[in-house]
């Protein structure tokens, strides 16, 4: 009789604890959402690896977006040409690597709103005599594999046997420095970043293209696009986004995109 009474008292108590704990468990699950984000660390100042730590504009940005949306981020490094396939298979949820929003890429992955306005530029050694794209005829050009710079060269009839494509942009710059190439065509902010550290090179001519970077997102999670866009809007509003330009570009805000530009509105064709 006493044992039965004891059990009877415990049962409602246990139910009460379960009732109180359930909402807390649900909130913990919601707030613990983790996204796996791919990054190519050979793209400074957007991504690089220093002393084993992945850092850069894009890395700080995606972490700030995730924080604003109550998510966490796991960074997975891989070569640039492996990013889109990894998003397609679902091995990555998203990727940041200064990825140009292109119509062909939109067929395979989703993109966030644009977050950086860029373009291709020509980097040469000072005194080379090269002043424009037309002057490159007959010269060797170095660049990075699977990027919009390769597309540009092909589209404009450049002799591809004179193009050296490297797995990372550092190797392309090394080719320029050692005489293995006469010019590098690549994203202007990265060329400018290299130029500031090497006084023997210069960018020449106008930007060859106008293009926008976006955060690439796997089509396997359609809801993630809205979350990332929402987080991007929040960090633009609270000033975190602008501070990244101060930190990584010395206050140069030429690449800032303060309005919400949908990827379909700014996508460039191959």
């Amino acid at each position: 009789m006493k044992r039965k009474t004891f059990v009877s008292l415990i049962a409602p108590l246990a139910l009460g604890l379960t009732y109180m704990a359930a909402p807390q468990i649900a909130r913990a699950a919601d707030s613990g959402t983790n996204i796996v984000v791919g990054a190519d660390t050979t793209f400074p100042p957007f991504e690089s690896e220093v002393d084993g730590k992945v850092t850069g504009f894009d890395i700080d940005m995606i972490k700030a977006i995730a924080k604003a949306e109550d998510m966490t981020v796991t960074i997975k490094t891989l070569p640039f040409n492996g990013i889109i396939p990894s998003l397609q298979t679902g091995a990555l949820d998203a990727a940041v690597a200064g990825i140009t929003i292109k119509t062909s890429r939109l067929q395979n992955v989703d993109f966030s709103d644009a977050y950086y306005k860029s373009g291709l530029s020509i980097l040469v050694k000072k005194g080379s005599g090269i002043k424009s794209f037309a002057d490159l005829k007959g010269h060797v050009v170095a660049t990075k594999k699977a990027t919009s710079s390769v597309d540009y060269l092909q589209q404009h009839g450049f002799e591809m046997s004179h193009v050296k494509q490297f797995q990372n942009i550092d190797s392309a710059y090394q080719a320029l420095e050692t005489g293995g190439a006469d010019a590098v065509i690549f994203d202007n902010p990265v060329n400018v970043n290299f130029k500031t550290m090497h006084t023997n090179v210069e960018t020449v001519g106008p930007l060859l293209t106008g293009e926008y970077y976006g955060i690439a997102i796997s089509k396997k999670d359609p809801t993630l696009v809205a979350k990332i866009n929402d987080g991007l809007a929040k960090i633009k509003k609270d000033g975190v986004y602008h501070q990244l330009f101060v930190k990584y570009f010395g206050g140069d805000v030429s690449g800032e995109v303060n309005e919400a530009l949908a990827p379909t509105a700014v996508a460039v064709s191959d």
Side-chain angles (χ1 to χ4, degrees), residues 75-200:
I75 301 295
K76 181 178 180 180
T77 62
L78 70 167
F80 187 84
N81 57 6
I83 285 176
I84 300 298
S86 295
L87 288 165
Q88 288 179 281
T89 62
L92 298 175
D93 298 306
V96 287
I99 306 171
T100 300
I101 302 172
K102 297 165 61 174
T103 52
S104 61
R105 288 173 177 162
L106 282 168
Q107 296 174 17
N108 300 311
V109 299
D110 290 326
F111 273 96
S112 68
D113 291 339
Y115 70 84
Y116 191 91
K117 184 177 181 180
S118 183
L120 300 177
S121 65
I122 303 168
L123 184 77
V124 297
K125 280 189 174 180
K126 288 181 177 177
S128 69
I130 297 170
K131 300 298 180 185
S132 67
F133 183 76
D135 294 335
L136 291 174
K137 187 175 181 180
H139 289 281
V140 175
V141 174
T143 190
K144 186 176 177 179
K145 289 181 180 179
T147 60
S148 56
S149 51
V150 178
D151 298 333
Y152 184 88
L153 288 162
Q154 290 175 326
Q155 290 164 5
H156 289 78
F158 198 84
E159 181 56 58
M160 295 307 290
S161 62
H162 286 189
V163 178
K164 290 186 176 180
Q165 299 182 48
F166 295 94
Q167 192 69 41
N168 62 71
I169 194 59
D170 290 339
S171 296
Y173 290 140
Q174 185 177 14
L176 176 64
E177 292 273 66
T178 59
D182 303 307
V184 171
I185 291 183
F186 201 56
D187 298 62
N188 186 57
V190 184
N191 278 347
V192 170
N193 183 64
F194 184 84
K195 182 180 69 171
T196 60
M197 297 185 291
H198 300 79
T199 58
N200 63 326

Side-chain angles (χ1 to χ4, degrees), residues 57-58 60-71 96 101 111-116 212-217 224-242 244-245 255-263:
F57 179 96
D58 283 349
D60 283 3
M61 180 187 68
I62 193 64
K63 287 181 177 179
I65 289 171
K67 182 179 180 180
E69 290 299 300
D70 202 18
M71 298 187 294
V96 287
I101 302 172
F111 273 96
S112 68
D113 291 339
Y115 70 84
Y116 191 91
Y212 290 85
Y213 297 163
I215 300 164
I217 303 164
L224 188 56
V225 176
K227 288 180 182 178
I228 287 179
N229 279 340
D230 187 55
L232 179 58
K234 287 175 181 175
I235 67 170
K236 285 180 178 181
K237 185 176 181 180
D238 66 15
V240 171
Y241 171 76
H242 174 75
L244 295 179
F245 284 83
E256 274 195 23
V257 183
N258 288 307
E259 67 272 41
L261 282 181

Side-chain angles (χ1 to χ4, degrees), residues 3-16:
R3 181 175 179 274
K4 184 176 180 181
T5 303
F6 180 69
V7 171
S8 298
L9 289 171
I10 287 179
L13 177 61
L15 286 172

